[in-house]
Amino acid sequence: MDIALALGGGGSRGYTHIGVIRCLEQEGFRIRAVAGTSAGGIVAALYAAGYSPAWMEKTFSELDQANLFGRIPRDAPALLGLGGAEKILREYLGDRTFSELKIPCAVTAVDVNAAREIILREGRVLDAVLATIAVPAVFPPKQLGGMSLVDGAVLDPVPVSVVRALAPKLPIVAVALSPKMGEKGKPMTLSFPTPIPTQIVERLSRLRLAQALKIYVQAQDASSRMLTDLRLEFDDPDVVIRPDVDGIGLLDVVDVHKLVRQGEKAADAVLPQLRRAGAWPNRLRRLLFPHLLLIKRRHK
């Protein structure tokens, strides 16, 4: 069964996307198009370039996560940089363009100068990925084509409409890395994965600025949850997968293997729903049974 995949943002939580893809492949689903935002953009680009879930799990599990966010001289003002991440991604993606990928792929970003979403599906893939992961204030914006681009999750946490444009006839599977609005769960936090001794990190975390930043990140997490729910309601994917990633912060150093297993578990739980969606995808139900869709929305 052919499907299209929309991978949402979530920082360190994004490793769960690898497990979702592995489960879907093992169950015979063929991913014909993929779109990603933020962390989902990394996995989407690598998968479209031909890297397998097994390769991604092994490679990411061997990375020194504490050294991904070093600043480089040309960086614009930000708390951290993407020097280490850029070096690694350059090694894997090189100068590939979107036209050279094995399946259709797109990632999203936001042009802060024009306050609008930008869909990146042409040009060099590496540039697009560096734009989609540029969390505002945490990482420097990516300057591209006269635009100042930041994390696509600012406006579109799970790019369902984007992947639907790539594959309009296929069922859409959306992977959201945040709980539903109002559900019990720990808010997203911002940690700083660095080789600084623990005692110094703990002392810095007690500073008023650090405490204020924590509150800001938690407030942004609440806003992101609501935006995710609203976008999923409006864009109406056929299946939504929500891995259990409660308590994992934006830049936490994590056990990649554990998160991959969480992704596999979440995907396995929706397999019956996904197989039903193959017969009656949402796009077809909207055309043939609009009254049923209206009833569904009223009872959500």
Side-chain angles (χ1 to χ4, degrees):
M1 174 179 163
D2 293 344
I3 59 172
L5 196 58
L7 303 179
S12 295
R13 301 174 177 185
Y15 296 114
T16 56
H17 290 314
I18 301 170
V20 169
I21 293 174
R22 172 182 287 163
C23 178
L24 294 175
E25 286 191 339
Q26 289 176 343
E27 292 297 323
F29 293 96
R30 297 175 296 275
I31 300 169
R32 299 304 193 190
V34 60
T37 294
S38 199
I42 296 177
V43 177
L46 290 173
Y47 184 74
Y51 293 104
S52 69
W55 180 92
M56 284 190 274
E57 179 178 5
K58 180 177 184 299
T59 300
F60 286 133
S61 67
E62 294 173 351
L63 290 180
D64 183 352
Q65 298 174 43
N67 289 319
L68 292 176
F69 309 119
R71 293 181 58 81
I72 55 180
R74 68 174 186 271
D75 278 347
L79 292 172
L80 301 172
L82 288 170
E86 180 176 352
K87 181 179 178 181
I88 292 166
L89 289 169
R90 187 183 303 278
E91 178 183 348
Y92 303 146
L93 294 172
D95 289 324
R96 279 187 183 89
T97 63
F98 280 93
S99 63
E100 295 172 315
L101 298 177
K102 296 182 181 300
I103 60 173
C105 175
V107 302
T108 67
V110 173
D111 179 7
V112 292
N113 292 334
R116 64 190 181 102
E117 182 179 20
I118 303 296
I119 298 170
L120 300 168
R121 54 177 300 190
E122 296 179 349
R124 200 168 66 147
V125 179
L126 175 61
D127 292 331
V129 172
L130 292 174
T132 196
I133 64 176
V135 179
V138 179
F139 301 125
K142 175 66 176 176
Q143 305 302 319
L144 187 64
M147 299 179 291
S148 187
L149 301 178
V150 299
D151 189 340
V154 169
L155 292 179
D156 193 357
V158 188
V160 173
S161 62
V162 176
V163 80
R164 180 171 285 130
L166 295 178
K169 296 182 180 180
L170 296 183
I172 306 298
V173 178
V175 186
L177 300 183
S178 62
K180 292 182 178 180
M181 189 66 186
E183 281 189 356
K184 185 178 180 181
K186 297 179 181 178
M188 180 81 80
T189 58
L190 178 61
S191 57
F192 294 94
T194 70
I196 299 173
T198 302
Q199 297 89 336
I200 297 178
V201 172
E202 290 176 349
R203 187 176 302 172
L204 291 172
S205 69
R206 291 194 290 269
L207 295 176
R208 293 177 66 87
L209 178 61
Q211 294 171 353
L213 181 62
K214 178 181 177 181
I215 294 172
Y216 173 77
V217 171
Q218 291 174 340
Q220 288 297 106
D221 180 57
S223 175
S224 177
R225 286 194 196 189
M226 175 168 284
L227 181 59
T228 299
D229 286 357
L230 290 173
R231 289 296 305 243
L232 289 174
E233 174 74 15
F234 181 79
D235 293 331
D236 198 24
D238 295 273
V239 175
V240 178
I241 299 175
R242 270 193 153 107
D244 181 5
V245 288
D246 189 29
I248 297 174
L250 184 68
L251 302 178
D252 282 359
V253 175
V254 296
D255 182 337
V256 172
H257 300 297
K258 181 178 179 180
L259 286 182
V260 170
R261 289 193 295 272
Q262 288 296 96
E264 291 177 314
K265 181 179 177 182
D268 185 71
V270 302
L271 288 175
Q273 181 185 354
L274 181 52
R275 292 191 175 100
R276 290 193 299 271
W280 293 98
N282 284 355
R283 71 187 189 285
L284 190 55
R285 287 200 299 272
R286 281 195 297 269
L287 291 173
L288 299 181
F289 310 111
H291 60 291
L292 294 181
L293 185 62
L294 180 61
I295 292 172
K296 171 189 170 186
R297 290 184 183 277
R298 285 177 175 172
H299 287 79
K300 274 190 175 182

